[in-house]
Amino acid sequence: MSIEPEQTTRRARRGHVPPRHGRQKRGGGVVLPAVAGVLAMGLVLTGGYAAFAYASLSNNVTKIDAIAPKAKGADDVDGTAQNILLVGDDHRPDNATPEEMAELSTESDGGATNTDTMIVLHISADGSQATMISFPRDSYVDIPGVGKGKLNSAFYYGTLNGGGDTGGAKLLIQTIQDLSGLTIDHYVRVSLLGFYQVVKELGPVEVCLNQPAKDPYSGVDLPAGTSQLDAKQALSFVRQRHGLPNGDLDRNVRQQYFLSQEARKVLSAGTLLNPVKMNNILSAVGGSVQTDTDLISLATQMRNLRPGNIQSATIPTLGTPTIYVGGSALSIVQVDTVGLPAFVQGLVGEPEEYTKATAAEPAATTVTVLNGSGVTGAAAAAGENLTARGFQVGAPGSSDETKTTQVQYPAGQEAQAKAVAAVVPGAVAVRSTKVTGVTLVLGSDGKTVSAPAAPASPDAGSSEPAAPESSSSSSSSEPSPSSTDVKSYGKEGVCIN
């Protein structure tokens, strides 16, 4: 799979679309993610080197105005927690020699800049917990002002008509915010060369595989069990997708795993207590980074973070179909766009306002039911049962397909959403700016509203009361489709397939 900016559902309005850039020369579109250095840097700076590091980094890092000011009263679902968009691009070094390209296990890309690794690093308010949320590069999504396209083309479209790197960053951020419901607080972009230099300075990183991996496209050739990867092997490891059952989705696992293992390496005494190594790592990071903020401030937000507290997840998907755009075949990752905000909320936690709310009475709650389950008549049946339970129910409708049944609600209607969630066991309540009232979206997980229990007959001969309905909301339940399981790869002894 590769970036194809020209293949959208309609022509972009942002300018001329360039021809493809040397796909054959790049080994079937295999590209290099380069975000490990950023996470490593954050952990390094928590080791007591902040003052020294500032001098090493401040003159090298490129600052760009990537984060638009927040609108007054804008909805931020995770409050004071921080979301950092980590972007790895596969831009090759300018004027690199064939020998240097061989060292990077790659070839010239004709000058293309593709954002082929996109991870939202969600850091809890106290800085002690983090979740890496991967967004596959071939996710077929809505790009504002462009139409449908692959996610890794959003940056390119933003650079058109004089937008440059700042325009590219802003459009990519807007696309991910619209998709996930998260507010991006900071932006960091690292180049291919930056990844290589950081790993080279860090020294061998240990990985463990449950089975051998060999791929001539990326250059990976590793046995089952543990291996110590040098910089060149690390590049091959994180960019492998051929030979993996789920292609780019499994490559996301490679990236998450390597980032976590690298964090363990950085925090080892042999690294933190070696000033020369530390200086070299920081210098390698600084010269290869674009960001909206100074890296010292960014790193202090991770001051309490430890590898064992870093989770990894990939956004929920519905498959990897081949579609046809303008008569040309295009292989994509189909994102569960409806269920994604619910999945994200399962990772970051429900808003405080919802947690504190008391469920409203059904008679004071108006709800609309949408069918995203694929089962004909599901919305009408759920609406009838809600009506029987005393809710005010609007006309049923349809939704795009989703795995996850959810109760969507706008800010301010937490009590009403909690009332609906209480009668749909397992549904996830999600605050959304895309709805104006409480909306029950039925997913393929089969969760729905059951009919209320019939009242007992006066002469039934039994005095046993009916079992009470659960009044607790299950909105904190986390959706768990097979391709998006949350993992903790930073612990010792963890192996992957």
Side-chain angles (χ1 to χ4, degrees):
M1 290 184 275
S2 70
I3 174 178
E4 303 295 350
E6 70 275 30
Q7 290 176 307
T8 56
T9 54
R10 58 185 177 85
R11 176 69 67 178
R13 299 195 300 269
R14 294 179 175 265
H16 172 67
V17 176
R20 302 177 186 178
H21 289 292
R23 179 177 181 181
Q24 289 77 14
K25 292 189 290 184
R26 291 165 53 202
V30 176
V31 290
L32 174 69
V35 299
V38 178
L39 186 57
M41 173 213 66
L43 294 168
V44 164
L45 296 185
T46 65
Y49 289 85
F52 172 75
Y54 187 81
S56 300
L57 292 171
S58 60
N59 294 327
N60 295 323
V61 173
T62 301
K63 295 283 285 291
I64 63 171
D65 185 22
I67 305 297
K70 293 181 182 178
K72 186 176 181 179
D75 191 21
D76 191 341
V77 297
D78 56 358
T80 58
Q82 294 287 297
N83 298 303
I84 305 169
L85 177 57
L86 302 177
V87 174
D89 70 57
D90 73 336
H91 181 61
R92 277 62 168 168
D94 294 335
N95 303 315
T97 66
E99 291 76 18
E100 290 170 326
M101 290 294 186
E103 185 67 14
L104 295 174
S105 296
T106 190
E107 293 179 307
S108 174
D109 63 351
T113 299
N114 304 319
T115 55
D116 286 289
T117 296
M118 289 152 287
I119 295 175
V120 172
L121 180 63
H122 173 80
I123 305 173
S124 62
D126 63 2
S128 65
Q129 303 283 333
T131 302
M132 293 186 289
I133 309 172
S134 292
F135 290 73
R137 65 173 194 165
D138 289 327
S139 301
Y140 203 57
V141 300
D142 289 314
I143 302 173
V146 174
K148 284 281 191 180
K150 290 187 176 182
L151 180 58
N152 70 337
S153 68
F155 183 93
Y156 161 75
Y157 283 119
T159 66
L160 299 179
N161 300 327
D165 287 349
T166 297
K170 286 186 173 180
L171 185 58
L172 178 59
I173 288 169
Q174 187 61 54
T175 302
I176 287 180
Q177 287 186 153
D178 291 350
L179 184 65
S180 67
L182 288 171
T183 298
I184 301 301
D185 299 293
H186 293 295
Y187 169 85
V188 179
R189 176 181 167 210
V190 189
S191 70
L192 175 155
L193 186 59
F195 176 96
Y196 178 81
Q197 290 174 331
V198 168
V199 180
K200 188 173 182 179
E201 295 297 342
L202 183 61
V205 176
E206 183 177 289
V207 299
C208 178
L209 295 176
N210 292 320
Q211 53 196 21
K214 188 169 185 177
D215 172 30
Y217 293 95
S218 65
V220 69
D221 187 0
L222 297 172
T226 59
S227 297
Q228 300 288 331
L229 305 189
D230 60 23
K232 184 175 182 179
Q233 291 171 318
L235 299 187
S236 298
F237 180 79
V238 296
R239 69 186 198 180
Q240 182 189 4
R241 67 182 176 90
H242 292 279
L244 299 176
N246 297 306
D248 274 352
L249 296 178
D250 283 341
R251 181 167 65 171
N252 286 332
V253 173
R254 288 278 200 270
Q255 296 167 8
Q256 295 163 353
Y257 177 78
F258 187 85
L259 281 164
S260 299
Q261 293 302 311
E262 187 183 50
R264 293 185 65 245
K265 175 79 174 184
V266 169
L267 286 180
S268 69
T271 302
L272 289 174
L273 299 180
N274 187 329
V276 174
K277 183 183 289 289
M278 296 293 295
N279 183 45
N280 292 341
I281 292 173
L282 294 172
S283 297
V285 172
S288 306
V289 170
Q290 285 185 346
T291 181
D292 68 293
T293 185
D294 73 82
L295 297 181
I296 305 301
S297 297
L298 200 63
T300 56
Q301 296 172 16
M302 303 183 232
R303 62 194 177 278
N304 298 320
L305 187 60
R306 293 296 177 265
N309 294 336
I310 302 173
Q311 295 185 115
S312 300
T314 301
I315 62 173
T317 61
L318 299 171
T320 55
T322 296
I323 64 173
Y324 289 85
V325 180
S328 298
L330 183 65
S331 181
I332 65 167
V333 172
Q334 184 182 358
V335 178
D336 184 353
T337 54
V338 178
L340 177 54
F343 180 76
V344 168
Q345 185 173 284
L347 300 178
V348 307
E350 62 189 21
E352 184 180 3
E353 295 84 353
Y354 184 86
T355 303
K356 293 181 176 179
T358 299
E361 292 297 324
T365 303
T366 299
V367 57
T368 300
V369 185
L370 302 180
N371 187 3
S373 69
V375 178
T376 302
E384 290 174 0
N385 289 337
L386 284 168
T387 299
R389 289 176 176 272
F391 290 88
Q392 306 299 311
V393 182
S398 61
S399 164
D400 290 339
E401 180 185 356
T402 181
K403 295 177 180 178
T404 307
T405 296
Q406 57 201 276
V407 179
Q408 300 176 349
Y409 65 93
Q413 295 192 28
E414 288 80 10
Q416 292 79 9
K418 211 161 195 175
V420 175
V423 297
V424 190
V428 183
V430 183
R431 192 163 80 192
S432 173
T433 60
K434 297 180 180 180
V435 296
T436 57
V438 177
T439 305
L440 172 61
V441 182
L442 301 176
S444 59
D445 55 14
K447 297 177 174 63
T448 188
V449 187
S450 62
S457 171
D459 56 354
S462 173
S463 60
E464 183 178 348
E469 291 181 9
S470 171
S471 60
S472 62
S473 169
S474 56
S475 62
S476 60
S477 299
E478 182 179 309
S480 54
S482 59
S483 64
T484 53
D485 286 341
V486 179
K487 302 294 184 182
S488 182
Y489 294 127
K491 297 179 180 179
E492 186 175 0
V494 174
C495 300
I496 62 171
N497 291 329

